[in-house]
Amino acid sequence: QLELLKDVFLERMLYEKPDTLKPPRTDVLMMTPWFAPIVWDGSYNIDILNAQFHQRHIRIGLTVFAIKKYTVFVKTFIETAEKFFMVGHKVNYYVFTDRVKEMPNITLVDGRQLVVLEVPSYKRWQEVSMRRMEMIRDHSLKRFINEVDYLVCVDVDMRFTDEVGVEILSDVFGTLHPGYFRAPRERFTYERRKASAAYIPPDEGDFYYAGGYFGGTVEEVYMLTSFCHSEMMTDKGNNIEAIWHDESYLNKYFLYHKPTKILSPEYLWDNNMGVPEVLKRRRFIAVPKNHNAIRNR
Ligand code: UDP
Ligand code: MN
C-alpha cells in the first residue's frame, strides 16, 4: 500500500526559492479575484509543472478545424507544434476537415499522432467558425474522453513560435484576446442585444476572451461546447446570431462559469498589433491571411 505513496512525491530539484515579498511580475495581473492564475512569462517554473504532469502521465488533444481553403494552414501549424507544443508529453492532433485528401503527410515525434476527422462544411464562414462548438462537443463524447485527459482548442491560421507547455492546463481555461487585454469593460465587443442568448449587460464582464483558444479537461470542454452550441441554436431559432459568433457565446459562458486558469496574450498574438512591453514572449501567432480570398470559398 505504502508503495503507492512513491508516486505522489517529486524528485529532488534545485531552483531559486519563491520570495513571499517579491512577486516575479508586478506589471501584470497574475491572479483573478476568484483565484485563477493568469499565465505570464516569469510567473511559473516549468520544471516543477512538468514533473507534476509527467507523474500523472497526462495525454493532451489539440483540436483544429481546416475547412475548405483553411487546409493550407495545417502543415505549418503541425510542424511548429511539433517544435513547441507540449514537448515531452503525449499529444494527439485532431484535425477536423472536409478535405481529407489535402491533409499533409508529416512524420511526428514518438508519442504524438495525427487524427484526421472528416466533417461537413458550411457555406458561411461565420457558421464554419460557430459549428466548431457542436463538433468538439460530439467528438468529446465519442472519442476524446477515451483518448486524452485535456483538450486545447485553437484556430488553425496560426503558428507556434515559442514554448506552450503544461503551464496552460487546468480544469477549464480561456485566453485574453490580444486586442482587448488593456481595454475597459465598455469597449469589450460582447453581444449587447438583449434578444441574443449571448447578451452581457454593460456593467458585467471580467475579461474579453478569444474564441480561438480555450480548453480544459474533456468533461469541462464538453460542458463549455454544449452550452455554446445550444445557446447558438436558441438564437438561430429566433433568427439572431451573436456579433462575434462562437466568441460571443464563449464570453457569456466564462462570465457565469469562471475559468480556472487564464492565458495571457503571449499565447495568442497577432504581430499586426506590434509588441508591447508586457509581452516578454510570443508563443502562438496569427499567420497573415487575405480574409476575402480565403473565406467563403
Ligand atoms: N475556419 C475554417 N474554414 C473557413 C473558415 C474558418 O476552417 O472557411 C476555421 C479555422 O480553424 C479558423 C477558424 O475557423 O482558424 C476561425 O476563423 P478565422 O481564423 O477566419 O477567424 P479570425 O481569426 O480571422 O477571427
Ligand atoms: Mn484565426
Side-chain angles (χ1 to χ4, degrees), residues 155 157-158 289:
D155 267 17
D157 54 337
M158 304 290 298
K289 66 178 186 288

Side-chain angles (χ1 to χ4, degrees), residues 149-215:
D149 304 297
Y150 290 95
L151 287 170
V152 179
C153 309
V154 298
D155 267 17
V156 76
D157 54 337
M158 304 290 298
R159 66 188 311 145
F160 290 88
T161 51
D162 201 346
E163 293 158 352
V164 174
V166 296
E167 76 278 4
I168 72 170
L169 300 178
S170 188
D171 285 355
V172 59
F173 63 86
T175 304
L176 300 181
H177 190 295
Y180 300 94
F181 71 97
R182 290 167 289 197
R185 198 180 251 167
E186 55 278 14
R187 274 201 38 229
F188 289 169
T189 55
Y190 293 150
E191 175 55 61
R192 300 303 191 182
R193 293 167 299 173
K194 287 189 176 149
S196 169
Y199 170 70
I200 296 179
D203 55 355
E204 290 183 70
D206 304 297
F207 303 102
Y208 189 76
Y209 302 98
Y213 205 138
F214 62 86

Side-chain angles (χ1 to χ4, degrees), residues 65-68 70 128-129 132 155-157 289 291 295:
F65 287 74
I67 307 291
K68 295 182 273 187
Y70 281 62
V128 170
S129 183
R132 292 185 289 178
D155 267 17
V156 76
D157 54 337
K289 66 178 186 288
H291 286 73
R295 283 177 172 167

